[in-house]
């Protein structure tokens, strides 16, 4: 899943693709680099970000989605708002990626149920300006995330969303500190045990910067890519549904090497047998 931020304030590349033309140009490069799906978002969810008004978000994402869909590109909309989800699906989006899992706007579940779009429900506790106040998990982060994601699954199913539409995202960095992110990744099999495909978005996030910290502090955002690619490769090897990344080419290159080596190893096993 390649990231297309049509925003002025996203943590990694805010403002670089903030117009329709620039966003479509960037998206076209990501497809050429091997993206299977493009996630178009008009609201930054970085820690401390403030929300755009509805009209701003619609103006940012709908023209981009419409243009990409007209070219046959598979598009996801990254939104927490029912109105944006509905307009985006009408414009051609096939996935609704809701970082709030329906908590920010419960009516988004009705939109998904009626549209039949794939629905990514992420673990979430609060909006960006407040989320890091909610990092306490009484029974540990893995158990807490699984319990709360399970509740979002129940809500989605009750709204008429079919089980086969659902994908879950553990929400790295959202109401979680650096160590909790690693604990969650280490316990990812418990999220998978909920019985739904899993999407993971780790690209360039602060816990990678902290891992790679030097004398001057955490590794700067643009210099975290190698670590993100390594993590995406490990996640792909375990069979996650998707990885959400900024640098599509680096990730697909790593996946191509892994797949080619796996094929060679498979042939060797067959020949030895």
């Amino acid at each position: 899943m390649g990231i297309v931020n049509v925003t002025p304030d996203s943590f990694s590349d805010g403002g670089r693709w903030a117009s329709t033309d620039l966003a479509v140009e960037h998206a076209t490069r990501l497809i050429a680099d091997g993206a299977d799906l493009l996630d178009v978002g008009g609201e930054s969810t970085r820690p401390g970000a403030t929300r755009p008004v509805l009209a701003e978000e619609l103006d940012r994402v709908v023209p981009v989605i419409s243009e990409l869909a007209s070219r046959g590109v598979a598009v996801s909309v990254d939104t927490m708002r029912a109105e944006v989800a509905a307009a985006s699906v009408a414009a051609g989006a096939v996935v609704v990626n809701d970082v709030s899992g329906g908590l920010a706007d419960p009516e988004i579940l009705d939109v998904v149920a009626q549209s039949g779009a794939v629905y990514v429900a992420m673990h979430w506790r609060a909006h960006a300006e407040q989320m890091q106040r909610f990092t306490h998990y009484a029974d540990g982060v893995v158990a807490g995330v699984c319990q709360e994601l399970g509740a979002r699954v129940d809500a989605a199913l009750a709204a008429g969303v079919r089980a086969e539409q659902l994908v879950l995202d553990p929400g790295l960095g959202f109401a979680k500190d650096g160590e909790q992110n690693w604990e969650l990744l280490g316990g990812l099999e418990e999220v998978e045990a909920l019985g739904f495909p899993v999407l993971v978005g780790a690209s360039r996030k602060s816990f990678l910067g902290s891992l790679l910290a030097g004398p001057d502090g955490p590794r700067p955002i643009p210099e975290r890519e190698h670590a993100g690619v390594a993590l995406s490769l490990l996640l792909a090897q375990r069979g996650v549904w998707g990885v959400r990344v900024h640098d599509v080419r680096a990730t697909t290159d790593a996946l191509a090497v892994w797949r080619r080596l796996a094929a060679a190893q498979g042939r060797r096993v067959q020949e030895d047998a």
Side-chain angles (χ1 to χ4, degrees), residues 7-15 42-46 49-52 60:
T7 59
D9 56 346
S10 291
F11 82 96
S12 175
D13 55 6
E43 175 180 352
S44 173
T45 52
R46 62 174 174 78
T50 56
R51 306 196 70 190
R60 290 172 183 176

Side-chain angles (χ1 to χ4, degrees), residues 143-216:
V145 166
C146 289
Q147 180 181 9
E148 292 170 27
L149 274 179
R152 302 322 305 151
V153 168
D154 291 344
L157 296 176
V161 178
R162 301 188 310 278
E164 57 267 29
Q165 290 174 255
L166 289 172
V167 175
L168 302 182
D169 182 340
L172 298 178
F174 288 77
K176 299 163 192 77
D177 62 29
E179 185 58 33
Q180 288 170 333
N181 290 320
W182 290 113
E183 290 179 29
L184 193 50
L185 287 167
L188 198 61
E189 69 276 1
E190 296 186 39
V191 178
E192 295 168 329
L194 293 172
F196 298 91
V198 173
L199 170 72
V200 180
S203 182
R204 300 180 183 173
K205 288 190 174 178
S206 61
F207 74 102
L208 296 176
S210 297
L211 173 71
L212 304 171
D216 297 328

Side-chain angles (χ1 to χ4, degrees), residues 18-109:
S19 72
T20 298
D21 290 345
L22 288 174
V24 170
E25 181 182 347
H26 177 55
T28 302
R29 284 195 296 271
L30 295 183
I31 289 294
D33 287 342
D36 299 299
L37 177 66
L38 296 181
D39 195 37
V40 179
E43 175 180 352
S44 173
T45 52
R46 62 174 174 78
T50 56
R51 306 196 70 190
V53 299
L54 173 61
E56 283 181 309
E57 188 179 353
L58 286 167
D59 287 345
R60 290 172 183 176
V61 301
V62 172
V64 176
I65 291 169
S66 180
E67 178 60 28
L68 293 174
S70 73
R71 301 182 186 189
V73 175
V75 183
S76 166
V77 60
D78 178 2
T79 188
M80 293 181 272
R81 288 179 165 128
E83 297 96 333
V84 177
S88 297
V89 170
V94 295
V95 177
V96 175
N97 181 18
D98 177 6
V99 300
S100 81
L103 287 171
D105 185 353
E107 292 184 5
I108 201 169
L109 300 177

